Amino acid sequence: AMLVTILYRLEKEPSVEGMGNPFTDVPENQWYTEAVIWAADEGIVNGMTETTYAPNDNITREQIAAILYRYAGKPAGSGNLASYPDADTVSPYAVDAMAWAVGEGIIGGMDGNLAPKDNATRAQIATILYRYLSK
């Protein structure tokens, strides 16, 4: 919820009037509700399932990459994931996003690994966002 709220605010909180809420676990009138509805409508997030978003769950490094990649318009990626020993653990939905994020210097390795399924700390999220917004 926090990451899409940041992106939503970067877009100056566009109206979500007329947009449906596809997620049963995103209740009305929460601090993140409009941001999640906007992000889903824009194709920036897909949810954990077709009907759930898990707004209070931790976010993984590959989820951050996928969200930023979609927000950026799915640009071509030039990063070489093969140089990381855990590259084969990147989820199929996130491969292009991780290649893009690595190639752009937005996400780097941790002790030589990508750690795509590791939960990101707030410090990591801040660093990734800083790198993304500095591009």
Side-chain angles (χ1 to χ4, degrees), residues 2-132:
M2 282 188 219
L3 181 57
V4 296
T5 299
I6 291 168
L7 299 178
Y8 180 65
R9 290 180 178 161
L10 282 171
E11 294 297 316
K12 304 199 182 337
E13 300 183 12
S15 173
V16 296
E17 187 175 336
M19 295 178 194
N21 180 353
F23 305 118
T24 58
D25 61 347
V26 175
E28 291 183 28
N29 301 317
Q30 296 298 307
W31 58 269
Y32 55 83
T33 303
E34 290 186 358
V36 172
I37 291 169
W38 165 80
D41 189 71
E42 293 289 318
I44 297 167
V45 297
N46 298 324
M48 300 302 282
T49 70
E50 286 187 28
T51 59
T52 61
Y53 182 71
N56 297 311
D57 283 5
N58 291 322
I59 192 167
T60 65
R61 293 166 52 84
E62 70 182 6
Q63 288 170 332
I64 295 169
I67 289 170
L68 292 177
Y69 174 71
R70 293 180 198 129
Y71 178 71
K74 298 182 180 179
S78 62
N80 181 8
L81 300 185
S83 63
Y84 295 94
D86 62 345
D88 63 338
T89 66
V90 176
S91 297
Y93 79 88
V95 171
D96 290 342
M98 287 295 282
W100 166 77
V102 167
E104 292 294 313
I106 296 168
I107 291 180
M110 291 181 8
D111 297 324
N113 291 297
L114 280 174
K117 292 184 176 23
D118 283 8
N119 290 330
T121 65
R122 283 185 179 210
Q124 289 171 340
I125 295 168
T127 300
I128 291 167
L129 276 172
Y130 175 79
R131 289 175 182 160
Y132 173 77

